[in-house]
Amino acid sequence: MEAEAADGPPGGLEAALSCFSFNQDCTSLAIGTKAGYKLFSLSSVEQLDQVHGSTEIPDVYIVERLFSSSLVVVVSHTKPRQMNVYHFKKGTEICNYSYSSNVLSIRLNRQRLLVCLEEAIYIHNIKDMKLLKTILDIPANPTGLCALSINHSNSYVAYPGSLTTGEIVLYDGHSLKTVCTIAAHEGTLAAITFNASGSKLASASEKGTVIRVFSVPDGQKLYEFRRGMKRYVTISSLVFSMDSQFLCASSNTETVHIFKLEHLTNSRPEEPSTWTGYMGKMFMAASNYLPTQVSDMMNQDRAFATGRLNFSGQRNICALSTIQKLPRLLVASSDGHLYIYNLDPQDGGECVLIKTHSLLSSGTTEENKENDLRPSLPQSYAATVARPSTSSASTVPGYSEDGGALRGEVIPEHEFATGPVCLDDENEFPPIILCRGSQKGKTKQS
C-alpha cells in the first residue's frame, strides 16, 4: 500500500511529496518528502495527528511503518540501494542493509521483511533482520510490484511471474518455497494485494478494466469485477477491507471503485412481472449463446460503491478503514491531501466526501498521542456502527507495541508472532546490536 508520487514541477506539491503509504491495518499514514518523512494517526476524521516527523534523511521515496509500532523502514534517493530501519520512539537506528541495485519497494509483517529490487527479492526475518532467502532470476520488475500477507502465520508472498502476461507467483514466506503460479490476466500486472488473513489475493492488469480475486493457497478464481469498459486506466492502489468483505481500487481517473465480495445465490427470487424484469431474464438467457468474452462481461460484477475525486491524473492510494466506529474510504493523493469519505456498507452508492486534510502543513503534532497507540482490533467493516468494544479472552500482558508510552498495556495475543518482541525496554526490537552489511546473495537462493 505504498506509492511513489508522480513527478511535478520544481517547488510544487508533487515535488515536496515523494511517496505515501498506509500501514498494514490502515490505522496510520506515512509520507515521504524532500525534507524527510512524517507519520500520521488515522483515529479521527476531524483531526489529522502527526505522530512523528524526521528530517534526518532527506529525499525519502519509501517509508513503511510496522502496524502501530515504533519500527519504520526508510529508503532515500540519496542512498537508493540502502534500507534503513529505525526505532523512531527512541530516535535510534536499528540497522541498515545495502543491496546490489536500487530498492523499489518494502513490505513487512510481524515475521518477515521483504525487499524488492528489479531482478531480486530479499526475505528477512524481522526479529533479527537475518537474511533468509534471496529469490533471483525473477522477470524484470521495474516498479517493484509485490505483495506480502500481513498475517504472520502464513506470510505469503506474491510477485509477477512473467514479462508479457499477468502470471502471479505465490510463494510461502515461512517454508521459503514456491506454492503455485496463477494465470491471473492476459496482460501484464499492475496491482496485487492480499486480504488481512492471507486467504485471498486480488489482482489487476495494466488495462485496469477487470479485477480478479483468487483463493490462497490453491489459486482458484473466486470473484471477477469490472471496473470499466470504455477506457484503459492505470490501477495505482488495490486493497481489501480488514474483514475482507470489500475491495477498493483507485487509478489515475477521478473515480475510486469499491466492490463487495459476495456470491449471489442460485436460487434468486423471481423477478417482478414487469418489462424490466422480463428483459433482465432475456439478457441472462441470451448470454449462454453469446461469445465467451461477451458473456463473461455480462456476468462480471460492477462496483458496489464509488468515491469521486475532483481531479484525475494524480498518483493516489486508497484504504478502507473504520474510524470512530464508522466505515470510511480514505484516499491519499500526490496533490498533498488526504480525502476521507463516508461509506454506506449496506446500500453502497456514491461515497460522501466529509473531510480533506493537508499532508504537507504542520498539522497537530503529538508524538505520544494515545489514540494512535491503541491496540488495532480488526472489526467487521460492514457492521461497525455503534458496535460495543470487546476485549479478547486471550491476551498477553506487559507488552506495548507503541514503543513504551503505554507500558504494560494488555494487547490481544493475535497481534504477536511466536515469541513476542519488545519495543518498550532495552531488548530493542529487533534484538540485535549491529546488522549493517551488503546483501548480494550471501544466503540460500532460488
Side-chain angles (χ1 to χ4, degrees), residues 287-306:
S287 67
N288 296 324
Y289 302 96
L290 294 172
T292 303
Q293 289 183 335
V294 179
S295 61
D296 287 348
M297 188 179 299
M298 293 179 66
N299 290 319
Q300 289 164 346
D301 292 328
R302 301 301 195 269
F304 168 77
T306 57

Side-chain angles (χ1 to χ4, degrees), residues 97-116:
Y97 272 104
S98 294
Y99 300 88
S100 58
S101 61
N102 291 358
V103 177
L104 300 180
S105 62
I106 301 287
R107 300 289 182 266
L108 57 165
N109 64 22
R110 292 187 176 91
Q111 282 278 6
R112 298 290 181 256
L113 188 150
L114 208 68
V115 181
C116 185

